[in-house]
Amino acid sequence: MVPFAGWSLPLHYGQGHLQSHLHTRSRCSLFDVSHMLQTRVYGRDRIRFMESLVVGDIAELKPGQGTLTLLTNERGGIVDDLIVTNTSEDHLYVVSNAGCADKDLAIMRGREAELQAAGGDIHLEVSDNALLALQGPSMAQVLQAGLSDDLAKLSFMNSITTTVFGVPGCRVTRCGYTGEDGVEISVPAGRAVELAEQLLGVPEVWPAGLAARDSLRLEAGLCLYGNDIDETTTPAEAGLLWTLGKRRRAAMDFPGAAIIMAQVKEKPKRKRVGLTSGNGGVWGCWPPCSPPCIPMSPGTVTSGCPSPSLGKNIAMGYVETTHSRAGTALDVEVRKKRHPALVTKMPFVPTQYYVAK
């Protein structure tokens, strides 16, 4: 068990990190992600409320559809990355990172008070549900046995409220943090252990901890807030401009819009890239220093690990835009020794997100 964002979480279970990672890629694993902040936004002005905080086009979401979006500040920095779902009921469902829970909630409560003072119809409610993530290629087979709904009709980033293995009132969202087909199940806290035990009773399903969660998401090219993105990082620098809705770009009505849209036109000075290296760990990154020497400021590796799936080191980090093209050779410093690395397109391992036919 290790401390994480004010919680005590399992780093790995008895199988160990490597076996757990590979099992998730080939079969199915259960992650307890109840440390994530879950909120519900009610009221006629809930779309206006959410769009005053994030860059995404929330108004275009169909009932049951969700999107990854970014909560930004007036400097264009990323305060958090969130999943916002327009539920088929009467509210928006928002999932935030645990490490950002306090500041996210303070920002949302502040905006709620502002809109209410101006006569807006808005009400924010924090959910005490647990959150379980079932991830891997056999997820659908495992979960379908406990559902009356047809999972084949549920596409990536869509959700339903249903009964799961006899537990009513669960929100099942087809998403995850591994790059595999998966779901996150928001389950009433009092029945979370019951549901987890039901799922772990299937031999196909192993419990997985933080170590596998981190290496899986890195292979999938997904950012970890606080490492790969933070309040000093803009969507343009992070390669996350796809989260900006077309209508929102034109309206420029989200926090930091002037700075972010200027970077869209002029290109940022640095960019997030993927890196691969055949030897050594990957933690600090510099541009090429072998002749001919190119004088420039050092880059930074923000996440790195040996890839269990690929058998080589992978990382992501920031380099000057002129050195961000795939195939560019860089030197990576590991414990004061330099190792060759290549800028590599992400994801490192192809994603398997499910789209209903």
Side-chain angles (χ1 to χ4, degrees):
M1 303 294 286
V2 294
F4 184 87
W7 297 73
S8 181
L9 298 180
L11 188 63
H12 58 80
Y13 291 83
Q15 300 90 354
H17 166 226
L18 178 62
Q19 291 82 0
S20 180
H21 177 112
L22 295 175
H23 184 83
T24 309
R25 287 274 182 252
S26 63
R27 299 296 183 91
C28 188
S29 296
L30 183 68
F31 300 79
D32 183 355
V33 291
S34 302
H35 54 291
M36 306 284 278
L37 173 66
Q38 301 174 71
T39 53
R40 302 185 187 99
V41 185
Y42 295 88
R44 290 188 306 274
D45 296 311
R46 58 186 181 273
I47 300 292
R48 180 161 67 98
F49 164 83
M50 207 70 231
E51 289 193 348
S52 72
L53 301 174
V54 303
V55 302
D57 191 340
I58 308 304
E60 76 170 358
L61 295 176
K62 298 174 183 177
Q65 185 180 20
T67 185
L68 177 72
T69 190
L70 306 174
L71 180 64
T72 50
N73 60 31
E74 294 300 335
R75 300 179 302 280
I78 301 171
V79 178
D80 196 8
D81 56 326
L82 319 166
I83 291 180
V84 178
T85 299
N86 179 25
T87 72
S88 299
E89 293 83 34
D90 58 350
H91 64 277
L92 300 176
Y93 169 61
V94 184
V95 179
S96 312
N97 285 301
C100 302
D102 290 343
K103 68 175 181 179
D104 286 6
L105 198 53
I107 290 170
M108 289 192 287
R109 289 290 191 202
R111 188 57 51 87
E112 175 191 34
E114 289 175 7
L115 288 178
Q116 287 175 344
D121 179 23
I122 186 73
H123 171 64
L124 193 68
E125 181 182 288
V126 177
S127 170
D128 64 354
N129 277 12
L131 194 62
L132 302 175
L134 190 63
Q135 301 283 304
S138 62
M139 176 281 297
Q141 175 188 344
V142 170
L143 192 63
Q144 188 62 73
L147 288 183
S148 57
D149 298 86
D150 185 1
L151 268 179
K153 297 179 179 178
L154 189 67
S155 285
F156 180 62
M157 295 307 295
N158 283 264
S159 78
I160 53 173
T161 300
T162 187
T163 297
V164 183
F165 284 98
V167 180
C170 295
R171 175 165 295 282
V172 177
T173 305
R174 201 150 198 167
C175 68
Y177 199 42
T178 63
E180 296 295 331
D181 184 20
V183 294
E184 292 185 353
I185 307 169
S186 181
V187 52
R191 303 194 69 177
V193 172
E194 173 190 341
L195 179 56
E197 288 176 342
Q198 290 252 33
L199 292 168
L200 291 171
V202 180
E204 190 88 355
V205 182
W206 288 9
L210 278 178
R213 184 169 162 83
D214 191 51
S215 55
L216 288 160
R217 68 89 193 169
L218 183 52
E219 286 185 347
L222 301 174
C223 294
L224 173 63
Y225 191 87
N227 282 47
D228 310 303
I229 50 175
D230 58 29
E231 294 192 37
T232 69
T233 311
T234 68
E237 293 170 335
L240 295 172
L241 286 175
W242 60 268
T243 63
L244 274 65
K246 184 177 179 180
R247 174 178 59 84
R248 307 301 307 283
R249 291 182 187 222
M252 292 183 62
D253 57 353
F254 51 86
I259 294 172
I260 294 169
M261 293 310 297
Q263 287 188 347
V264 171
K265 294 179 181 178
E266 301 165 9
K267 307 300 180 185
K269 294 181 179 179
R270 62 172 187 154
K271 291 182 70 175
R272 179 173 64 94
V273 298
L275 297 166
T276 54
S277 177
N279 56 4
V282 181
W283 300 108
C285 173
W286 274 259
C289 60
S290 54
C293 183
I294 303 173
M296 59 184 290
S297 301
T300 306
V301 164
T302 53
S303 290
C305 73
S307 165
S309 301
L310 301 176
K312 58 184 175 183
N313 292 311
I314 59 172
M316 66 172 73
Y318 288 83
V319 297
E320 291 196 6
T321 301
T322 52
H323 290 269
S324 64
R325 185 184 296 272
T328 301
L330 302 176
D331 280 347
V332 176
E333 183 181 90
V334 185
R335 290 179 287 277
K336 298 184 179 180
K337 293 183 179 180
R338 295 196 176 193
H339 303 272
L342 284 178
V343 175
T344 305
K345 288 184 178 180
M346 295 184 285
F348 301 103
V349 173
T351 54
Q352 305 295 331
Y353 305 132
Y354 175 81
V355 178
K357 296 178 182 178

